[in-house]
Amino acid sequence: MDDQIRHPLAYARALRGWSQTDLAARIHHAARSRPEGLRSGTDKAAVSKWENWRKTPSIESQLLIAEAFDVPIADLEAFEWPHWLPGQEQPVPLGAASTVHALRDAQRAAMDHRRRTFMTFSALALAGLSAQWAALEPDRLTTALNGNRVDAELVDWMEDTSAKLTALPTEQRQHTSKLIDAQLDTVIDLLEHGRYTEPVGQRLHLLAASLASTCGWHRFDQGHHFAAGKLWNAALTNAHAARDRDLGAGILSDFAYQSIWLTQPDAAVEPLSQALIHTQHPTARSLLYLRRARAHAALGAASDCHRDLAAAEAALLTDSPDPAPGWCRWMSAADLAVDSGQCMLDLRRPGEAHARIDEGMSLLPRSRDKTRGIFLAYEARSLLQAREVEQALAVTNQSLDLATRIGAERCVTLVRELAPVFQSYRQVDGVDDLMDRLKAS
């Protein structure tokens, strides 16, 4: 492990505002509090050795450290030292030495989602991470790891399996999240303990980035935003190590989309701007422009929004001899139309919004059920703004039916956000039934 990378124990201690002496004292207190009245030889020098990667604490010391930080024993059983320590609330820095730590940190966050559902990285943190991603050149992969050699044939199989899992239709993919989590865990173990050539290592990092990105979307769809952010941080770190600029741009776009979703559009502009500088495929650029337009609309910046919408449309109409990167291959005229409509809603132009959303709905293929559910919720919102309550009610029920069938919690959340508006129309037949459905969902 590179001794220039700050140790997770130092991060965890700093989060509590403890000095190394403070931590040693708390370890002593934890030992004395045991029924058998243990003694610990931990002092500031021992803590320093742990934090400088020079020594690993014994199992007994790790148990006392866990007690000092209130970390459950189950975390120690699930993760090796130091990956069970409380993660920092800032992104893990980029660089080859950070890749596995970022992935393990993301796994811990995914386990801890109930306590941190709405926590995300700040706008300043995202701006710093995107600037770092844009400026750094990927380091050479470290290949002198202990363990068995990872051959190309094994990576072929893992890539093929992962591609099949992530390509399943939405309705089936809701049941495979544990399989994808397990696939990611296997790749992390290979990165951490395997022995491989640099080309194979690059493929493993790329596979880790792709899987972590997918797992992040699963958590995002479930409303577990802290875990999603950690997984995307890990994905960005590994995409950087794999030297894949296009995938890195896509992950920054995911961060931005999450910020817009959580009504923090100011945090989305800088990552999208950095991503636009470093990716050239027109489909990718169209999606990035479209998401930046969404951020500008939410901020009330109408002229910037219209400029980016025009750029998104022009890019989408631009032919390219190369296929679009996988993270944006789904981008289509339907997405452009509906998200343009959402921009018009934010800019308080409901008539134009409804026309654009309706156009997008007519263009969307049947295979994209989750997107259809979200689009239906957008359409219902535009209909409510136009005071077409009965039609809005019908569309809302369609969205809720679809979201319930495919397990799309994020879509259900969108529908729930319409409830206060429907409350004003309780006299309309069917509104009370919708309220009852929302309470039960």
Side-chain angles (χ1 to χ4, degrees):
M1 177 65 70
D2 189 335
D3 61 9
Q4 299 303 309
I5 300 299
R6 193 179 184 191
H7 197 286
L9 181 59
Y11 280 121
R13 178 174 55 76
L15 283 173
R16 302 299 197 281
W18 299 345
S19 66
Q20 291 179 336
T21 301
D22 292 334
L23 176 56
R26 289 174 183 274
I27 291 172
H28 280 285
H29 177 73
R32 289 195 302 271
S33 299
R34 293 291 182 87
E36 60 271 32
L38 298 177
R39 295 177 61 85
S40 172
T42 301
D43 56 14
K44 178 181 177 181
V47 174
S48 178
K49 288 179 182 178
W50 297 337
E51 292 184 355
N52 284 285
W53 306 97
R54 293 203 298 270
K55 189 175 181 181
T56 298
S58 66
I59 295 300
E60 292 76 12
S61 292
Q62 290 187 41
L63 289 170
L64 296 173
I65 294 168
E67 191 168 333
F69 284 109
D70 294 320
V71 173
I73 299 301
D75 282 11
L76 276 73
E77 296 171 348
F79 302 103
E80 297 180 3
W81 171 269
H83 303 302
W84 53 261
L85 285 162
Q88 73 260 16
E89 313 308 343
Q90 294 293 316
V92 175
L94 303 187
S98 298
T99 53
V100 171
H101 171 54
L103 289 161
R104 293 298 188 197
D105 190 42
Q107 286 185 310
R108 288 197 69 256
M111 290 178 63
D112 196 31
H113 63 76
R114 288 181 180 83
R115 283 177 280 175
R116 296 175 174 177
T117 297
F118 298 106
M119 189 180 297
T120 58
F121 294 132
S122 67
L124 182 62
L126 282 184
L129 185 65
S130 58
Q132 185 186 23
W133 170 83
L136 288 177
E137 286 303 319
D139 297 327
R140 288 182 60 84
L141 294 172
T142 302
T143 58
L145 298 175
N146 294 325
N148 296 324
R149 177 172 291 279
V150 182
D151 59 31
E153 185 177 356
L154 174 60
V155 182
D156 287 342
W157 179 84
M158 295 200 71
E159 288 171 341
D160 182 59
T161 304
S162 299
K164 288 177 179 176
L165 285 172
T166 56
L168 287 171
T170 303
E171 190 167 358
Q172 297 177 33
R173 200 163 61 240
Q174 63 174 312
H175 305 298
T176 64
S177 60
K178 290 184 179 179
L179 291 175
I180 297 175
D181 286 343
Q183 189 87 335
L184 175 60
D185 191 49
T186 301
V187 175
I188 298 170
D189 283 341
L190 290 173
L191 283 168
E192 191 169 19
H193 303 298
R195 201 162 44 88
Y196 40 79
T197 62
E198 184 170 338
V200 168
Q202 281 187 275
R203 291 174 65 190
L204 285 173
H205 281 298
L206 190 59
L207 184 55
S210 177
L211 288 167
S213 177
T214 299
C215 291
W217 273 101
H218 284 166
R219 298 308 189 281
F220 176 68
D221 284 337
Q222 295 163 355
H224 305 153
H225 296 294
F226 178 78
K230 286 290 189 179
L231 284 159
W232 288 332
N233 182 189
L236 185 64
T237 301
N238 281 270
H240 186 267
R243 301 174 174 85
D244 193 319
R245 283 296 203 193
D246 276 326
L247 180 56
I251 296 162
L252 286 179
S253 177
D254 295 339
F255 273 121
Y257 186 84
Q258 182 190 46
S259 296
I260 296 167
W261 184 271
L262 295 175
T263 65
Q264 299 168 3
D266 56 318
V269 175
E270 180 61 22
L272 291 167
S273 299
Q274 289 286 5
L276 278 162
I277 294 170
H278 292 281
T279 189
Q280 297 304 317
H281 195 282
T283 304
R285 293 180 66 79
S286 178
L287 178 58
L288 294 171
Y289 276 124
L290 182 58
R291 288 184 172 172
R292 197 169 70 175
R294 286 282 306 272
H296 286 313
L299 291 167
S303 59
D304 290 335
C305 173
H306 286 295
R307 181 199 64 215
D308 278 351
L309 287 177
E313 183 175 11
L316 192 61
L317 294 173
T318 302
D319 291 328
S320 173
D322 301 316
W327 59 268
C328 64
R329 204 162 290 161
W330 48 266
M331 173 64 182
S332 68
D335 299 279
L336 178 62
V338 172
D339 274 10
S340 297
Q342 182 61 32
C343 289
M344 295 304 105
L345 283 177
D346 288 338
L347 295 174
R348 303 187 183 281
R349 298 168 64 176
E352 189 174 350
H354 179 62
R356 294 194 186 195
I357 293 172
D358 196 46
E359 176 192 356
M361 288 293 296
S362 68
L363 295 172
L364 190 70
R366 288 289 173 186
S367 59
R368 294 180 59 192
D369 283 345
K370 182 179 70 176
T371 303
R372 181 175 298 280
I374 290 171
F375 283 7
L376 284 167
Y378 288 165
E379 184 178 20
R381 184 182 167 201
S382 72
L383 288 165
L384 282 170
Q385 288 193 3
R387 300 181 184 277
E388 297 179 25
V389 181
E390 292 182 351
Q391 193 174 350
L393 183 62
V395 172
T396 301
N397 277 304
Q398 289 179 45
S399 178
L400 191 55
D401 287 343
L402 197 155
T404 302
R405 177 170 60 80
I406 66 175
E409 178 59 33
R410 182 159 61 97
C411 184
V412 175
T413 299
L414 267 185
V415 174
R416 286 197 187 103
E417 290 173 355
L418 300 175
V421 185
F422 277 113
Q423 287 282 4
S424 303
Y425 299 100
R426 297 299 290 257
Q427 75 280 6
V428 175
D429 187 39
V431 169
D432 282 340
D433 292 338
L434 174 63
M435 295 295 105
D436 290 340
R437 287 193 68 188
L438 292 175
K439 286 177 183 177
S441 63

